[in-house]
Amino acid sequence: MRVAISTGGGDAPGLNAVIRTAVLSGLNRGWDVLGIRKGFGGLLGDDGVESLTRDRVRGIGALGGTILRTTNRGNPFSWPVQQPDGTWVRVDRSDELIAHARQLGIDAMICIGGDGTLAIANQLVEKGMNVIGVPKTIDNDVAGTISTFGFDTAVGTAIEAIDKLKTTAESHDRVIVMEVMGRDAGFIALYSGLAAGADAILIPEIPFSIEKVAQKVMERERMGRHFSIVVVAEGAAPVGGEVSIIGESMPGQEKRVGGLAGRLAYQLQETTGKESRSLVLGHLQRGGTPTGYDRALAARFGGAAIRAVADGKWGHMVALKSPDIVTVPMSEALAQTKRVPLDGDMVRTAREVGISFGD
Ligand code: F6P
């Protein structure tokens, strides 16, 4: 059996722990394990394929990032190609990818990624490839699994940042708006904001009104609390308004969401008269040593992926269904969307302790 592993989309702490466990489990079965570099690109002449040996994965479990590298611009079904006149067109290179995988004697692939990568993996299954998925995202927005590795580490980073911002905000009587990742789902904002005691949490699932956030700030002011912390997910939007888009995306890439915190701080300062500052936590949330929870979950996913290969569960992804790791059809998981449940205990608890959602 020759298995090839790839990591696609944005990186997440724990990717290397998945790779390490899958490689060791595969090698211990007497299999050959390859790494496809740079998402699917390694099979399309971009950065190639390498042999994953014991030496190659030694000590990587604690490392953030991915030793295989990754990209969010490498969809083989819609590959960006620049024309001589400088414009870009999309080309379907999936047949080329499959032919190259066959040439290399790859019997099965383990694709580690978020919903974008898993959708590509599922399309490859439909074209006859033997693929197992491993869900990954710091945003925790892949359905079919209770959680994804990387999320816990990102939440920890955000909590640490809120703790630090609180003392400076309090010392200066300021409002500080902190933006976290969460393009479509507000899990990072909700978990970190509730755990660290934010005063307002703005998430994509709940359109906000700046007046309501300002009300919360002024209510605190009247109570003698002269500072406020607002945690905002990058994909949050005002009632009837648009998501904030920042800068130019690269060809083949989704629109870059972000930059909301700066605008909100400006609007809050205008509305409340209180000095307001902003911070975009950005890619800090994607780095660092994965937490113990993420390392254990990643290791479990890596091991389960190899067992799924042995069982021929093509088209399935591994998933956490506490206390077990199970496999679920990728098509089933992809057909659902995972968002913050508005009637869930976390939103209710947050409201009950007085946190505003700007609604
Ligand atoms: O993995 C998803 C995510 O964390 C989103 O929340 C965010 O919009 C995106 O990645 C940013 O990715 P990048 O800036 O690296 O393209």
Side-chain angles (χ1 to χ4, degrees):
M1 174 69 81
R2 174 169 280 183
V3 194
I5 303 176
S6 76
T7 53
D11 64 343
L15 279 170
N16 284 323
V18 179
I19 296 169
R20 176 181 173 275
T21 318
V23 168
L24 295 180
S25 305
L27 294 177
N28 288 341
R29 283 174 183 261
W31 297 355
D32 212 12
V33 189
L34 299 180
I36 301 166
R37 295 174 62 84
K38 226 170 167 189
F40 296 96
L43 286 175
L44 293 170
D46 188 5
D47 217 12
V49 168
E50 63 175 299
S51 175
L52 291 178
T53 59
R54 267 172 220 285
D55 276 349
R56 181 71 171 113
V57 299
R58 181 164 298 135
I60 67 168
L63 291 182
T66 160
I67 60 162
L68 294 176
R69 311 177 74 223
T70 187
T71 177
N72 55 15
R73 301 185 259 135
N75 182 350
F77 292 90
S78 185
W79 190 268
V81 176
Q82 192 162 28
Q83 301 297 100
D85 66 359
T87 58
W88 291 82
V89 292
R90 307 286 190 116
V91 178
D92 182 352
R93 297 184 66 192
S94 57
D95 287 334
E96 200 184 319
L97 180 145
I98 292 169
H100 194 192
R102 292 214 170 106
Q103 233 174 41
L104 292 169
I106 294 173
D107 301 300
M109 270 174 68
I110 295 176
C111 296
I112 315 171
D115 46 9
T117 301
L118 296 174
I120 296 167
N122 200 45
Q123 275 180 282
L124 291 173
V125 172
E126 282 163 8
K127 292 194 88 164
M129 280 198 88
N130 298 335
V131 186
I132 300 295
V134 176
K136 163 250 50 161
T137 158
I138 64 162
D139 292 357
N140 197 30
D141 60 353
V142 176
T145 180
I146 289 174
S147 67
T148 45
F149 61 87
F151 172 61
D152 188 60
T153 310
V155 169
T157 300
I159 286 176
E160 196 184 337
I162 298 171
D163 288 346
K164 288 179 175 170
L165 290 177
K166 267 193 172 180
T167 53
T168 177
E170 184 162 19
S171 303
H172 287 266
D173 290 354
R174 284 175 174 158
V175 175
I176 300 190
V177 183
M178 186 180 95
E179 181 176 310
V180 294
M181 283 190 170
R183 198 187 169 88
D184 304 307
F187 291 105
I188 298 177
L190 177 61
Y191 275 64
S192 62
L194 177 61
D199 305 298
I201 300 173
L202 308 179
I203 56 176
E205 293 85 346
I206 306 179
F208 64 87
S209 120
I210 195 73
E211 288 76 24
K212 288 283 166 62
V213 183
Q215 258 173 36
K216 176 71 197 176
V217 170
M218 295 318 285
E219 186 188 304
R220 284 175 54 77
E221 191 70 21
R222 283 192 295 279
M223 288 166 64
R225 309 294 280 157
H226 302 295
F227 74 101
S228 290
I229 300 290
V230 178
V231 178
V232 56
E234 61 186 357
V239 179
E242 297 288 318
V243 164
S244 169
I245 301 294
I246 191 166
E248 278 297 305
S249 309
M250 298 286 284
Q253 200 172 42
E254 281 196 68
K255 284 198 173 125
R256 271 184 218 164
V257 170
L260 183 57
R263 288 190 211 175
L264 286 183
Y266 174 78
Q267 290 170 349
L268 282 173
Q269 183 165 303
E270 291 284 291
T271 322
T272 64
K274 287 192 65 66
E275 185 178 356
S276 305
R277 300 293 182 91
S278 64
L279 171 81
V280 177
L281 215 49
H283 292 86
L284 265 185
Q285 296 157 93
R286 296 235 293 250
T289 298
T291 58
Y293 179 87
D294 277 340
R295 280 168 76 171
L297 182 60
R300 295 175 79 191
F301 276 1
I306 289 291
R307 290 195 293 278
V309 170
D311 294 343
K313 294 207 144 178
W314 316 127
H316 282 63
M317 68 173 203
V318 299
L320 174 66
K321 194 175 174 201
S322 293
D324 302 315
I325 301 291
V326 298
T327 60
V328 295
M330 281 193 277
S331 54
E332 235 173 62
L334 289 165
Q336 303 158 41
T337 45
K338 183 167 162 195
R339 300 289 178 262
V340 168
L342 301 187
D343 53 356
D345 76 283
M346 290 194 73
V347 171
R348 290 179 59 187
T349 300
R351 289 193 192 280
E352 284 161 13
V353 298
I355 295 174
S356 166
F357 284 91
D359 60 341

